[in-house]
Amino acid sequence: MPRYALKIEYDGTPFAGWQRQADRHSVQEAVEMALKKLEADAPGIGAAGRTDAGVHATGQVAHCDLKKDWDPFRLSEALNFHLKPDPVAILAAAQVPEDFHARFSANERRYLFRVVNRRAPLVLERHRAWQVLNPLDADRMRAAAAELVGHHDFTTFRSSICQAASPVKTLDEISIEEVPIPHGVEFRFRLRARSFLHNQVRSIVGTLERAGAGSWAPEDVRAALEARDRAACGPVAPPHGLYLTAVGYPSDPFA
């Protein structure tokens, strides 16, 4: 059976997350239902990351096995037709080797977290960013973020229900871009690592927001990391500001 990689964009607002669930609609279910319109016995799919409810993606990657030898462009067009009206789009499809696995073949994941700092309520971006009313200091957040880059035990910054075998991860990058917007500013947090723990990005951004607000010093973030205790973490940022933007592989299947 030919194997295909799919690059997927979705608005996570109406979904219970990526992973199929018995009683709630998920992104995985939406894509699998579209695949079954093409081949009724199409098996389930695997994805690079199991995003939570409300989390968005502009570069999720999944793989699927199909009986027919599909032209990748026609496959993406057919899936997009059957995905309507769900807010999910197949950006690209590519035939890949049979040992390609969207999750286990990946060697990098990139996330974006958007924080909008303004007083007026969000309207157009209501489910697309986390609104923070009080002013934030970008330099304080960058100094605090520097304490987290590198190879660490991230127990403090992972969910209590995280199923990863080890809390030790290497965080390759945290950058914070400050972008002026009408009547406010948007902070764009970009994080890059081979893999992340459950809720790690949201836990980190929520803690860095406290540093930006002046409630935490950069040394407090270092102390929280070294505590290796979930109770030492700052607040967890809400899911709707988070985007899975890219998944890296030794050889880009969509090149």
Side-chain angles (χ1 to χ4, degrees):
M1 298 176 71
R3 176 161 290 190
Y4 300 88
L6 306 174
K7 183 184 289 187
I8 308 173
E9 176 183 87
Y10 52 85
D11 173 0
T13 306
F15 296 107
W18 166 267
Q19 193 169 7
R20 175 182 282 275
Q21 299 185 29
D23 56 349
R24 299 180 64 193
H25 193 36
S26 69
V27 183
Q28 181 182 5
E29 179 189 24
V31 177
E32 288 179 347
M33 289 175 63
L35 283 166
K36 288 186 182 299
K37 293 293 179 74
L38 306 183
E39 296 185 5
D41 56 351
I45 61 177
R50 298 175 179 177
T51 54
D52 289 336
V55 175
H56 315 295
T58 59
Q60 171 73 284
V61 176
H63 71 265
C64 63
D65 296 322
L66 296 171
K67 290 181 178 179
K68 181 179 175 180
D69 189 3
W70 284 85
D71 173 77
F73 175 75
R74 291 187 179 278
L75 175 59
S76 62
E77 289 287 285
L79 288 174
N80 283 330
F81 176 82
H82 291 296
L83 278 164
K84 295 181 288 190
D86 281 321
V88 182
I90 307 301
L91 301 178
Q95 190 165 345
V96 292
E98 62 180 17
D99 63 349
F100 174 88
H101 194 288
R103 178 184 175 190
F104 298 119
S105 299
N107 59 13
E108 181 181 88
R109 291 162 176 83
R110 293 175 182 256
Y111 283 91
L112 164 70
F113 198 102
R114 299 177 58 205
V115 175
V116 172
N117 197 190
R118 78 175 196 187
R119 297 294 303 179
L122 293 185
V123 179
L124 299 180
E125 302 287 352
R126 182 182 174 190
H127 299 296
R128 307 285 185 275
W130 177 25
Q131 182 178 16
V132 174
L133 301 181
N134 297 317
L136 299 176
D137 186 310
D139 289 335
R140 286 180 61 89
M141 292 191 290
R142 292 185 184 113
E147 302 288 349
L148 302 177
V149 174
H151 189 70
H152 304 292
D153 182 326
F154 283 99
T155 296
T156 298
F157 297 94
R158 76 164 175 171
S159 167
S160 59
I161 61 171
C162 179
Q163 298 178 353
S166 170
V168 177
K169 295 288 181 183
T170 300
L171 184 54
D172 296 308
E173 177 187 359
I174 307 178
S175 66
I176 303 171
E177 182 183 10
E178 188 174 5
V179 181
I181 60 172
H183 308 289
V185 62
E186 179 177 328
F187 295 97
R188 296 173 184 168
F189 297 75
R190 291 186 170 87
L191 295 88
R192 176 172 58 87
R194 183 181 183 91
S195 61
F196 290 87
L197 300 164
H198 188 201
N199 277 358
Q200 184 180 355
V201 175
R202 290 168 55 197
S203 298
I204 287 173
V205 172
T207 299
L208 295 181
E209 186 274 338
R210 291 291 78 207
S215 300
W216 288 42
E219 309 84 73
D220 297 325
V221 176
R222 163 61 67 172
L225 174 68
E226 293 177 345
R228 300 177 185 177
D229 181 356
R230 182 64 176 169
C233 186
V236 178
H240 53 264
L242 182 59
Y243 299 73
L244 173 57
T245 58
V247 184
Y249 296 94
S251 178
D252 183 0
F254 307 105

